[in-house]
Amino acid sequence: DTAVSQTPKYLVTQMGNDKSIKCEQNLGHDTMYWYKQDSKKFLKIMFSYNNKELIINETVPNRFSPKSPDKAHLNLHINSLELGDSAVYFCASSQVRTEKQYFGPGTRLTVT
Amino acid sequence: KQEVTQIPAALSVPEGENLVLNCSFTDSAIYNLQWFRQDPGKGLTSLLLIQSSQREQTSGRLNASLDKSSGRSTLYIAASQPGDSATYLCAVSSDSGYSTLTFGKGTMLLVSP
């Protein structure tokens, strides 16, 4: 059983396009996150949602808009894609702050 | 601002060796520290989580220690195997707000048969 799933796994698109990445967790967790892993493999938090409410927005351009329709889903929509957006995006979830975070398999976004 | 540093950046050892990966963080006000494993092209797998009140955690051949006051953690891998080859990431959870993780850049481990 997949705990945290993301779709698509790979996404290749051109500059200026708008795209979405979907994330779902079946762990019953109340907190979900989006992380970005750049070309140097450095992972950095982008957003954190708790019970469908935005908690953290870490200096991310407003072209990135997370949406949480329910506790099990946190989608990431990106407008006007730029070359610098190319990266691997990871979704994660946890129950409370003291517990482990479980990561999805990642979505590799390539902007050409 | 929390910063996490991992040393070494890469490590190559023969099978069977015991090894230590190091992690340091600048702000000792943390809730917990996690060690993750990342295989090439894959997501992250949580290996061990140490709460700020704990000193160490063990899982099989893995042992992680935490010295919160000095801002250090180590991951000890006993009797390394080729299957341990991966990138190991250390991440700390801030003491304020929700538990977003600040990651180090990882140690790339290669265990040769």
Side-chain angles (χ1 to χ4, degrees), chain B residues 7-21:
Chain B
I7 295 173
L11 182 62
S12 182
V13 300
E15 181 177 7
E17 272 203 11
N18 302 324
L19 55 99
V20 175
L21 307 181

Side-chain angles (χ1 to χ4, degrees), chain A residues 9 31 33 35 37 40-45 47-48 50 55-56 58 90 94 96-106 108, chain B residues 1 4 31-32 34 36 38 41-49 51 89 93-105:
Chain A
K9 187 170 175 64
T31 307
Y33 314 82
Y35 290 86
Q37 187 171 42
K40 296 182 180 178
K41 307 297 183 185
F42 190 49
L43 263 166
K44 190 172 182 181
I45 182 70
F47 299 102
S48 171
N50 180 262
I55 303 299
I56 300 287
E58 290 283 340
F90 288 99
S94 67
V96 293
R97 67 169 72 186
T98 58
E99 293 194 2
K100 289 183 183 180
Q101 290 192 16
Y102 293 81
F103 279 71
R108 180 174 296 275
Chain B
K1 179 186 172 186
V4 179
Y31 261 110
N32 59 47
Q34 281 188 244
F36 291 88
Q38 185 175 26
K42 300 288 180 61
L44 280 70
T45 301
S46 181
L47 298 172
L48 290 165
L49 180 144
Q51 302 295 350
L89 295 158
S93 173
S94 171
D95 194 35
S96 62
Y98 284 80
S99 57
T100 56
L101 295 174
T102 302
F103 281 85
K105 294 188 177 182

Side-chain angles (χ1 to χ4, degrees), chain A residues 38-92:
Chain A
D38 61 24
S39 57
K40 296 182 180 178
K41 307 297 183 185
F42 190 49
L43 263 166
K44 190 172 182 181
I45 182 70
M46 298 176 68
F47 299 102
S48 171
Y49 264 74
N50 180 262
N51 284 321
K52 303 195 300 175
E53 288 190 33
L54 179 65
I55 303 299
I56 300 287
N57 178 349
E58 290 283 340
T59 60
V60 176
N62 57 15
R63 298 183 295 104
F64 290 80
S65 53
K67 293 222 171 19
S68 181
D70 55 58
K71 279 175 51 174
H73 296 84
L74 181 62
N75 304 322
L76 183 64
H77 189 76
I78 316 170
N79 291 327
S80 304
L81 279 155
E82 300 177 357
L83 291 176
D85 297 333
S86 296
V88 182
Y89 293 84
F90 288 99
C91 177

